[in-house]
């Protein structure tokens, strides 16, 4: 099959006419159409094609993809609508209903009367239309106005295609209609505030091309909001100190400090940012972050205050019964944790590995169920929820699933469980709470019914959440809620060097690297190249030889950094060549710099709420950042890849491969919330911000059965000695302390 123009990387430009609209979403413009290609083929096109009608002449740019249900389709990335030129095409266009007020019979009359001049007459001479039998002057004017609106939409699409994709342009047009172009020309930065998905950098680039004054208040105000949101997503800051924000904005935007300060006052006056003062320092928030933090503080305070208490004697009886039923005697701190969970509305249980957190959870489940209370168990990730289920024999869900996340158009996540539709359960137990960011904590608390109990379990010494905030540490630091830190390693756990060395690292002591017959090993290597080659040999030969061939699938290499010869980027190349080398029996596909091969271990690296999965008779939507799977099939002709995750089968068309990376080696941050049977950690020189105690501690505690450190003892000692914490600007602890003082 020949096509008109090859654009490279599989992209093509095709021209033709919309034959039939199979499906169209009026909200976002997503459409599925049969398309009469000028070459004579009838093909299916899919994508964001707003305001198109049957009969429209289109030039579409995109690539061929494979849909597992519907076969080969042309996925449109951008398009241009052209008005038809000959009378036959004009008649078909008008008869399709593209112009409101013109039906098939009226279209025939207009084209018979004016022929190829029909569009000019409709737009500029509506009075002439009124000369046609059956068209009144009022109707003629309405037809002309509708046609002009269609032309305005077309000109809007043409203007903004220089800067944004069709889906974003739809939002702009829906917001301002035909006036969108003029509004954007006057102040491109208004797009940042009004249109989801348009950030400061895109608007600033547009403004530069439109010769907007770089020292304008609109630019500086928008730049400040960008700094706040960028620091939230990249550095975890919920807010920034006022003086720091002013200074950073002036430097980034190359404007005087006084201009930056003036712009901040305008933002505050307009209500576009919020501020709070603690300890004499003003902290600036985007409104959403401010609302989330204040809601968290208010709701937690309320839950802790109004939750009904359980009588002391009843608690004693419940604990005694659980000890008899399970045949164990709870340690003093475990017993105290159970007491606090039954006496408090909000309770925090923290501690390192082997300290008995799971034993407390099992006891609480037994007691709450005996009281006929409904309990929800949840964790931030699927792997953590699965591990929780296995440890407690009680169903655990991800927090997103517990809150019944809605799958919309992939922009903003919405939850069906919220302040107007509370969770049914009156006891909520959350594991791996250190991973919960401010936004997710707010969503969870909105869904919790007043008078319910919230029990947060986590290791406060691990890395903080990927998203903005430091919720678990802030709650502990506030000393506002009952907090039990388990610090006694139980006898069975004492036999594990993973456990004892984890606690040593956390206490600032170098782990025991001398033992050769336990579950924690150290292999000395000096150069980064030798570290990488040794890790490859361990995965391919030494570990499978010692523990069985199936061991290779139970190993996870976790590196502090992506960069360097022992970083994840290079290790993934080496490990792919070692564990899954090229083979005639295995198909492969190169996407950008990566070669994907059947049998590869891969990871989803961003949340995709729209992608469909299936497993047996079950289907659903959503694959999330950190999910690890295996490539089962690569179909180059149909342009798709089949990947099996833990409990899902997903078909990725090749256009989605930017969301997939190899996972033979992953960063410590990506490993949070997961556990793996065998963990190998390269010990080499990384950027100082990554050479920290809590990063090493987090990596080591990802292992269930075995840890192997490969590299330099010097760097082990350097990481253990560096107690530098990831500093995050948040005022949750101060806010809670102030609430306590005000009570």
């Amino acid at each position: 099959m020949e096509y008109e123009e090859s654009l490279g990387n599989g992209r093509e430009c095709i021209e033709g006419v919309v034959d039939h609209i199979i499906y169209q979403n009026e909200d976002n413009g997503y459409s599925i159409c049969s398309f009469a290609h000028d070459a004579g083929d009838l093909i299916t096109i899919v994508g964001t094609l707003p305001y198109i009608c049957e009969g429209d002449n289109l030039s579409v740019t995109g690539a061929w993809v494979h849909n597992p249900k519907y076969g080969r389709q042309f996925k449109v990335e951008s398009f241009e609508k052209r008005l038809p030129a000959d009378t036959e095409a004009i008649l078909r266009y008008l008869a399709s209903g593209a112009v409101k007020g013109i039906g098939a019979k009226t279209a025939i009359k207009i084209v018979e009367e004016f022929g190829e001049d029909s569009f000019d007459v409709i737009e500029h001479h509506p009075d002439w239309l009124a000369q046609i039998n059956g068209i009144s002057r009022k109707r003629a004017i309405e037809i002309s106005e509708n046609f002009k609106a269609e032309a305005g939409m077309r000109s809007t699409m043409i203007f903004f295609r220089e800067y944004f994709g069709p889906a974003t342009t739809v939002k702009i047009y829906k917001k301002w209609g035909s006036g969108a172009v003029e509004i954007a020309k006057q102040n491109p930065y208004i797009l940042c505030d009004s249109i989801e998905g348009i950030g400061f950098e895109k608007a600033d680039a547009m403004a530069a091309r439109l010769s907007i004054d770089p020292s304008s208040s609109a630019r500086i105000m928008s730049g400040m909001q960008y700094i706040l949101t960028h620091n939230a997503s990249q550095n975890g800051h919920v807010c920034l100190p006022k003086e720091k924000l002013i200074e950073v904005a002036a430097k980034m935007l190359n404007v005087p400090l006084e201009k930056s300060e003036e712009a901040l006052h305008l933002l505050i006056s307009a209500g576009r940012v919020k501020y709070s003062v603690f300890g004499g320092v003003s902290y600036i928030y985007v409104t959403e972050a401010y609302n989330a933090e204040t809601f968290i503080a208010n709701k937690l305070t309320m839950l802790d205050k109004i939750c009904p208490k359980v009588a002391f004697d009843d608690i004693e009886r419940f604990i005694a019964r659980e000890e008899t039923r399970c045949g164990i005697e709870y340690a003093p701190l475990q017993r105290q944790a159970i007491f606090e969970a039954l006496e408090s509305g909000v309770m925090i249980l923290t501690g390192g590995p082997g300290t008995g957190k799971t034993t407390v959870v099992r006891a609480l489940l037994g007691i709450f169920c005996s009281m006929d209370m409904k309990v929800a168990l949840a964790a931030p990730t699927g792997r953590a929820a699965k591990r929780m289920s296995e440890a407690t024999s009680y169903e655990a869900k991800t927090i997103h699933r517990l809150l019944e996340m809605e799958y919309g158009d992939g922009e903003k996540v919405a939850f069906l469980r919220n302040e107007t539709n509370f969770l049914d359960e009156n006891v909520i137990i959350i594991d791996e709470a250190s991973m919960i960011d401010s936004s997710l904590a707010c969503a969870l608390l909105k869904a919790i019914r007043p008078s319910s109990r919230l029990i947060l379990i986590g290791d406060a010494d691990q890395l903080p959440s990927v998203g903005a905030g430091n919720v678990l540490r802030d709650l502990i630091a506030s000393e506002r809620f009952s907090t039990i830190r388990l610090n006694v390693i139980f006898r069975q756990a004492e036999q594990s060097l993973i456990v004892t060395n984890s606690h040593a690292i956390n206490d600032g002591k170098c782990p025991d690297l001398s033992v050769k017959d336990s579950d924690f090993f150290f292999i000395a290597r000096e150069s980064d190249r030798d570290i990488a080659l040794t890790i490859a040999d361990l995965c391919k030969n030494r570990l499978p030889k010692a523990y069985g061939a199936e061991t290779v699938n139970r190993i996870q290499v976790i590196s502090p950094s992506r960069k360097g010869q022992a970083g994840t980027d290079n290790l993934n190349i080496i490990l792919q060549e070692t564990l899954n080398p090229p083979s005639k029996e295995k198909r492969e596909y190169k996407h950008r710099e990566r070669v994907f091969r059947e049998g590869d271990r891969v990871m989803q690296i961003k949340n995709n709420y729209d992608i469909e999965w299936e497993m047996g008779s079950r289907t659903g939507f959503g694959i999330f950042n950190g999910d690890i799977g295996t490539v089962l099939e690569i179909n180059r002709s149909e342009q798709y890849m089949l990947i099996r995750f833990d409990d899902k089968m997903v078909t990725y068309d090749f256009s989605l491969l930017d969301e997939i990376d190899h996972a033979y080696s992953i960063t410590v941050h990506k490993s949070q919330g997961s556990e793996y049977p065998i963990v190998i950690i390269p010990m080499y020189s990384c950027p100082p911000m990554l050479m920290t105690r809590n990063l090493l501690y987090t990596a080591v505690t990802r292992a269930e059965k075995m840890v192997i450190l490969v590299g330099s003892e010097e760097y082990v000692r350097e990481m253990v000695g560096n107690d530098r914490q990831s500093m995050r600007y948040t005022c949750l602890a101060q806010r809670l302390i102030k609430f306590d003082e005000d009570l």
Side-chain angles (χ1 to χ4, degrees):
M1 190 184 300
E2 297 295 327
Y3 293 103
E4 296 177 3
E5 184 181 355
S6 175
L7 302 178
N9 295 322
R11 296 173 68 246
E12 300 175 10
C13 181
I14 296 175
E15 296 186 352
V17 177
V18 177
D19 180 71
H20 175 60
I21 296 177
I22 301 167
Y23 169 80
Q24 189 167 52
N25 184 317
E26 293 184 3
D27 291 331
N28 58 25
Y30 182 80
S31 306
I32 303 173
C33 315
S34 58
F35 188 69
H37 175 29
D38 284 354
D41 306 311
L42 194 64
I43 63 176
T44 299
I45 62 173
V46 299
T48 304
L49 297 155
Y51 309 112
I52 61 166
C53 300
E54 293 175 2
D56 276 350
N57 279 259
L58 304 181
S59 173
V60 296
T61 299
W64 291 99
V65 299
H66 175 84
N67 183 291
K69 291 185 179 179
Y70 304 110
R72 201 170 189 232
Q73 300 175 333
F74 190 82
K75 187 173 183 178
V76 178
E77 297 173 5
S78 62
F79 77 101
E80 181 181 346
K81 185 188 288 191
R82 302 163 298 154
L83 286 174
D86 61 77
T87 54
E88 183 179 344
I90 291 171
L91 175 60
R92 185 178 182 188
Y93 176 80
L94 293 176
S96 71
V99 180
K100 190 177 178 182
I102 300 178
K105 292 181 180 180
T106 303
I108 293 171
K109 292 178 183 179
I110 292 172
V111 175
E112 285 180 347
E113 182 70 25
F114 302 112
E116 293 181 1
D117 296 324
S118 295
F119 290 146
D120 182 66
V121 170
I122 293 170
E123 184 172 3
H124 300 110
H125 306 287
D127 287 346
W128 297 5
L129 288 179
Q131 298 172 11
I132 296 175
N133 186 35
I135 301 180
S136 66
R137 187 174 184 281
K138 179 182 178 183
R139 185 182 172 199
I141 292 172
E142 289 176 350
I143 288 172
S144 181
E145 292 300 319
N146 291 333
F147 183 81
K148 289 175 183 177
E150 169 75 10
M153 180 277 298
R154 197 162 52 251
S155 65
T156 301
M157 298 295 292
I158 290 170
F159 175 80
F160 284 108
R161 74 181 177 185
E162 300 281 334
Y163 310 101
F164 313 115
T168 301
T169 304
V170 171
K171 298 176 197 172
I172 296 171
Y173 185 74
K174 279 182 174 289
K175 180 74 176 177
W176 292 299
S178 299
V181 174
E182 279 308 308
I183 289 170
K185 282 181 177 179
Q186 291 174 18
N187 179 14
Y189 299 102
I190 198 172
L191 299 172
C192 302
D193 305 323
S194 307
I195 307 299
E196 184 74 28
I198 298 181
F200 172 78
E201 290 173 314
K202 288 183 178 180
D204 202 36
M206 182 178 180
R209 291 179 65 176
L210 295 172
S211 301
I212 301 294
D213 180 6
S215 63
S216 68
S217 295
R219 177 172 184 260
I220 303 171
M221 291 163 72
S222 185
M224 282 187 153
Q225 288 184 293
Y226 164 75
I227 291 168
L228 289 169
T229 55
H230 175 80
N231 271 278
S233 62
Q234 299 301 313
N235 301 318
H237 300 310
V238 175
C239 54
L240 288 177
K242 174 185 172 182
E243 299 306 320
K244 186 176 184 70
L245 175 60
I246 290 171
E247 183 181 334
V248 170
K251 185 176 181 180
M252 184 188 88
L253 302 172
N254 195 25
V255 297
L257 279 171
E258 55 269 24
K259 279 271 190 183
S260 185
E261 188 164 10
E262 288 171 10
L264 178 56
H265 287 306
L266 289 172
L267 279 171
I268 293 171
S269 299
R272 288 166 59 181
V273 299
K274 302 278 190 179
Y275 74 94
S276 290
V277 180
F278 293 102
V281 178
S282 290
Y283 294 91
I284 311 299
Y285 299 74
V286 295
T287 301
E288 187 176 8
Y290 176 87
N291 292 341
E293 188 174 272
T294 53
F295 180 85
I296 291 168
N298 280 314
K299 185 65 176 278
L300 285 170
T301 301
M302 183 267 286
L303 285 176
D304 198 46
K305 185 178 179 181
I306 70 172
C307 181
K309 315 300 182 190
V310 179
F312 179 90
D313 290 342
D314 289 338
I315 297 175
E316 283 285 6
R317 191 173 68 255
F318 286 139
I319 292 176
R321 187 174 64 195
E322 282 302 305
E323 287 180 324
T324 300
R325 186 176 69 86
C326 299
I328 61 174
E329 182 179 347
Y330 299 122
L333 278 176
Q334 290 179 319
R335 179 179 288 269
Q336 186 181 346
I338 298 168
F339 259 96
E340 297 293 343
L342 292 167
E343 283 197 321
S344 310
V346 177
M347 182 264 191
I348 299 165
L349 179 64
T350 185
T355 56
K357 296 191 298 293
T358 301
T359 300
V360 173
V361 175
R362 290 197 198 104
L364 290 173
L365 283 171
I367 291 170
F368 286 130
C369 289
S370 72
M371 297 169 66
D372 293 326
M373 299 180 78
K374 298 182 72 173
V375 182
L377 260 59
T381 67
R383 283 177 173 265
K386 183 178 180 182
R387 193 174 69 249
M388 197 180 191
S389 293
E390 291 169 349
T392 62
S393 301
Y394 194 98
E395 183 189 13
K397 302 176 180 179
T398 63
I399 297 174
H400 288 79
R401 185 177 160 214
L402 178 70
L403 301 182
E404 298 177 23
M405 183 176 69
E406 277 191 319
Y407 304 99
D409 57 7
E411 290 170 4
K412 276 199 169 183
V413 175
F415 297 103
L416 294 178
R417 295 292 184 168
N418 50 44
E419 61 267 53
T420 62
N421 183 26
F422 292 123
L423 292 167
D424 298 326
E425 295 84 359
N426 44 23
V427 178
I428 314 296
I429 302 177
I430 304 295
D431 197 14
E432 295 287 355
S434 63
M435 296 182 66
I436 300 175
D437 60 29
S438 184
S439 177
L440 186 57
C442 180
L444 174 65
L445 287 164
K446 283 182 178 179
I448 295 177
R449 188 182 303 277
S451 79
S452 295
R453 277 180 173 76
L454 175 63
I455 300 166
L456 298 173
I457 303 163
D459 190 339
D461 296 314
Q462 290 185 15
L463 292 171
S465 58
V466 174
N470 210 348
V471 176
L472 183 64
R473 285 190 189 174
D474 282 347
L475 299 189
I476 295 171
S478 75
E479 299 182 352
R480 178 66 182 79
F481 307 105
S482 174
T483 301
I484 302 298
R485 179 182 285 272
L486 301 178
N487 54 21
V488 177
I489 304 173
F490 286 91
R491 185 175 303 162
Q492 185 177 358
E494 279 183 336
Q495 299 170 11
S496 167
L497 260 188
I498 295 176
V499 172
T500 56
N501 276 342
S502 296
H503 285 269
I505 291 168
N506 202 33
D507 291 337
K509 301 171 184 175
C510 190
D512 187 347
L513 305 180
S514 63
V515 180
K516 303 299 181 185
D517 59 352
S518 186
D519 56 2
F520 192 109
F521 301 91
F522 174 72
I523 300 175
R525 293 291 184 272
E526 291 305 317
S527 74
D528 291 1
R529 181 176 181 275
D530 285 345
I531 292 172
L533 293 177
T534 299
I535 289 173
D537 185 44
L538 283 167
C539 294
K540 174 70 174 178
N541 301 310
R542 293 169 63 177
L543 289 173
K545 183 178 179 180
Y547 301 104
E550 70 282 356
T551 301
V552 71
N553 297 318
R554 302 169 66 226
I555 301 168
Q556 182 61 62
V557 179
I558 301 177
S559 181
S561 174
R562 295 183 63 90
K563 305 303 180 185
Q565 290 191 63
T568 60
D569 288 346
N570 189 57
L571 282 172
N572 272 319
I573 294 171
I574 293 173
L575 291 171
Q576 183 194 37
E577 290 300 301
T578 302
L579 301 175
N580 192 30
S583 166
K584 292 181 180 179
E585 286 73 41
K586 293 182 178 181
R587 289 167 289 190
E588 59 183 49
Y589 178 75
K590 184 175 183 180
H591 178 74
R592 303 191 191 279
E593 300 304 314
R594 294 186 181 90
V595 174
F596 291 103
R597 187 172 297 130
E598 290 176 343
D600 271 346
R601 191 177 195 185
V602 294
M603 172 184 279
Q604 178 79 14
I605 58 173
K606 63 178 288 189
N607 290 336
N608 186 326
Y609 303 110
D610 293 329
I611 196 165
E612 188 175 4
W613 56 262
E614 59 182 40
M615 180 55 72
S617 60
R618 296 188 303 114
T619 60
F621 292 88
I623 298 295
F624 304 105
N625 188 357
D627 286 352
I628 290 178
T630 303
V631 178
L632 298 184
E633 179 186 353
I634 295 176
N635 191 317
R636 292 175 61 90
S637 62
E638 299 295 343
Q639 300 275 293
Y640 74 88
M641 185 182 295
L642 184 65
I643 300 175
R644 184 188 66 228
F645 293 91
D646 281 344
D647 55 352
K648 303 178 180 75
M649 297 283 282
V650 184
T651 300
Y652 285 78
D653 69 58
F654 284 173
S655 65
L656 293 174
L657 294 187
D658 282 338
E659 299 182 6
I660 294 293
D661 198 356
H662 290 109
Y664 297 101
S665 177
I666 63 176
T667 63
V668 180
H669 286 87
K670 289 290 186 185
S671 74
Q672 283 181 266
S674 298
E675 284 189 353
Y676 310 93
I678 301 172
V679 168
I680 302 176
I681 308 169
M683 290 284 99
Y684 71 110
S685 181
C686 300
M689 67 180 67
L690 298 174
M691 299 289 288
T692 63
R693 181 186 303 171
N694 69 339
L695 189 136
L696 178 58
Y697 174 74
T698 301
V700 169
T701 55
R702 298 307 90 207
E704 295 174 331
K705 304 291 185 183
M706 184 183 298
V707 169
I708 304 175
L709 304 184
V710 182
S712 168
E713 185 173 342
E714 174 190 348
Y715 294 128
V716 177
R717 294 185 181 280
E718 182 178 333
M719 293 184 78
V720 171
N722 181 5
D723 195 24
R724 176 183 179 272
Q725 301 290 330
S726 300
M727 198 283 297
R728 294 193 168 190
Y729 288 113
T730 137
C731 297
L732 180 57
Q734 296 97 309
R735 209 175 290 281
L736 286 163
I737 291 167
K738 186 175 185 301
F739 281 174
D740 197 30
E741 291 171 349
D742 291 343
L743 290 176

